[in-house]
Amino acid sequence: MIERIIILENIDPVVFYGINNCNIQLIKTLFPKLRFAARGMIIKVIGDENETAIFESKIKQLEKYCAEYNILNEKIIIDIIKGQTPTEVKQEHLIIHGVNGKPIIGRTENQQKLVKAFETNDLVFALGPAGSGKTYVAIALAVKALKNKEVKKIILSRPAVEAGEKLGFLPGDMKDKIDPYLQPLYDALQDMIPAARLKDMMENNIIQIAPLAFMRGRTLSDAVIILDEAQNTTTHQIKMFLTRLGMNAKMIVTGDMSQIDLPSSQTSGLVQAIKILKGVTGIGKVEFGKKDIVRHKLVQRIVEAYEKFEEKRKKETKAATIPEINIEKKEL
């Protein structure tokens, strides 16, 4: 009789053990000769040397499956322990599997272009209207790179610019005031990483979410870095951010040129950066359009209506600024 200690990694124990430890109870019935206990990320097993070796091998296979697909159920457990390959439904344009095994895919042509641009460039600009999925896909690509151990951390940032409202009066410390700006990033991560695992990664700074102002002075290496809402950066801010790129790092900058919340006297750093960096090797650009909007069908109509309104206003403004030419007739 020997004792083996198996340490689980890269999984959420809640998903692995199942509701009310149902997965562990099933595994016990499939290994009746062994005695084992699971707590946290550690499983201790006692039994025959050969039997415990097989048990450890099967647990590692289950762990690998759970880490990739974020799901573990009775059928999968039985298939793996009995030596059968679990049936997989191949999903076209799959990026990763999110919480509960939900496939996260490139749903539109431009979302798929962003996936390819990320593979071939170290810096990618993703530009387009609200709801086109540019930030969501960018975060999915970062999570995939982290899961594949291509990088050691993910860094997500946004400029803290209010959309027409002043939030400084809100109660709480600095984090409490800043979190509302960063909530969309949390929302996307919660779709892709189980809650307990996400909490652990954030506590250990594997995933870092911070406002743009906190990026100054840092060199960001071995990471995927995402700057969201970049249309609200100043020219100095975006230059500062882009020059944080370190070794073995990739950066995605997202923005919507139609939703600039800066004072009218300030130039958007994103608009300027796109012009300055045009044609630079290693930088990609993907432009999303109305057809890429994957929110409620009304969102696409709202975007179209605002575009028509802006075009009409520009024409009227242009017409109003053209000076009238008065030709005086001279009397002979």
Side-chain angles (χ1 to χ4, degrees):
M1 300 283 283
I2 68 163
E3 179 182 276
R4 289 180 188 268
I5 296 175
I6 304 165
I7 300 174
L8 303 174
E9 298 176 357
N10 304 320
I11 55 101
D12 182 347
V14 176
V15 177
F16 189 85
Y17 297 148
I19 298 170
N20 296 323
N21 288 328
C22 62
N23 291 344
I24 287 294
Q25 297 305 321
L26 174 59
I27 294 169
K28 281 183 177 180
T29 64
L30 296 170
F31 286 94
K33 296 179 182 179
L34 299 178
R35 289 187 294 117
F36 67 89
R39 179 172 291 180
M41 303 292 277
I42 296 174
I43 298 176
K44 290 183 180 180
V45 58
I46 298 173
D48 174 75
E49 184 174 359
N50 185 54
E51 190 83 7
T52 55
I54 293 170
F55 176 83
E56 182 175 12
S57 172
K58 295 300 182 182
I59 289 294
K60 285 297 177 183
Q61 288 178 45
L62 290 169
E63 178 190 17
K64 183 180 178 182
Y65 187 97
C66 186
E68 182 174 353
Y69 295 99
N70 280 322
I71 193 170
L72 203 60
N73 57 38
E74 181 179 329
K75 185 178 185 308
I76 293 163
I77 292 168
I78 292 170
D79 284 348
I80 288 176
I81 289 177
K82 291 190 174 181
Q84 299 170 1
T85 304
T87 54
E88 296 177 21
V89 178
K90 289 196 174 182
Q91 187 78 50
E92 196 175 8
H93 306 303
L94 177 72
I95 302 173
I96 56 167
H97 285 89
V99 173
N100 297 323
K102 172 190 171 184
I104 294 172
I105 62 173
R107 294 172 63 179
T108 68
E109 185 179 348
N110 284 319
Q111 287 184 6
Q112 292 156 26
K113 282 182 181 178
L114 178 54
V115 174
K116 290 176 183 176
F118 180 76
E119 291 171 356
T120 54
N121 297 280
D122 289 335
L123 169 60
V124 181
F125 288 97
L127 314 172
S132 53
K134 53 193 184 297
T135 301
Y136 196 80
V137 172
I139 292 176
L141 290 168
V143 172
K144 180 182 179 181
L146 185 64
K147 288 181 76 171
N148 292 343
K149 298 185 178 178
E150 295 166 14
V151 296
K152 295 179 181 177
K153 55 184 177 282
I154 296 172
I155 299 165
L156 308 175
S157 187
R158 267 188 164 203
V161 176
E162 299 103 330
E165 299 179 62
K166 300 295 179 186
L167 304 180
F169 67 89
L170 291 174
D173 58 16
M174 177 72 78
K175 184 180 184 300
D176 294 328
K177 289 178 185 292
I178 286 169
D179 274 355
Y181 297 106
L182 306 175
Q183 191 58 48
L185 305 180
Y186 289 110
D187 292 343
L189 287 169
Q190 287 165 356
D191 260 8
M192 302 173 198
I193 302 173
R197 180 70 181 145
L198 177 58
K199 183 182 177 183
D200 181 60
M201 292 172 114
M202 295 186 73
E203 286 176 352
N204 290 294
N205 288 324
I206 296 170
I207 295 178
Q208 303 170 27
I209 304 180
L212 180 59
F214 289 12
M215 295 293 109
R216 188 173 294 280
R218 299 184 65 183
T219 299
L220 308 174
S221 303
D222 296 309
V224 176
I225 311 121
I226 297 174
L227 175 60
D228 191 34
E229 298 288 335
Q231 76 275 4
N232 288 328
T233 59
T234 65
T235 55
H236 295 297
Q237 283 176 329
I238 199 162
K239 181 184 176 184
M240 176 275 291
F241 184 84
L242 295 176
T243 53
R244 300 306 93 201
L245 193 64
M247 301 300 292
N248 188 39
K250 288 200 170 196
M251 187 177 282
I252 303 176
V253 176
T254 71
D256 179 0
M257 305 294 203
S258 69
Q259 293 194 27
I260 297 173
D261 299 314
L262 294 169
S264 57
S265 58
Q266 279 189 317
T267 302
S268 167
L270 179 61
V271 173
Q272 189 184 65
I274 293 296
K275 293 176 182 176
I276 292 171
L277 300 175
K278 185 178 180 181
V280 175
T281 304
I283 298 178
K285 185 177 78 168
V286 180
E287 294 192 38
F288 291 75
K290 296 188 293 290
K291 291 181 180 179
D292 297 299
I293 293 174
V294 290
R295 290 181 185 166
H296 192 287
K297 58 186 179 182
L298 271 177
V299 175
Q300 184 171 341
R301 296 175 197 163
I302 290 167
V303 170
E304 288 174 350
Y306 270 91
E307 282 183 355
K308 287 177 183 176
F309 174 78
E310 288 296 328
E311 285 174 13
K312 183 181 178 183
R313 192 174 68 170
K314 283 178 184 177
K315 286 178 182 177
E316 289 173 351
T317 304
K318 188 177 179 181
T321 55
I322 297 174
E324 292 184 8
I325 301 173
N326 295 320
I327 301 174
E328 293 183 0
K329 292 182 180 180
K330 292 183 180 180
E331 293 184 5
L332 297 173

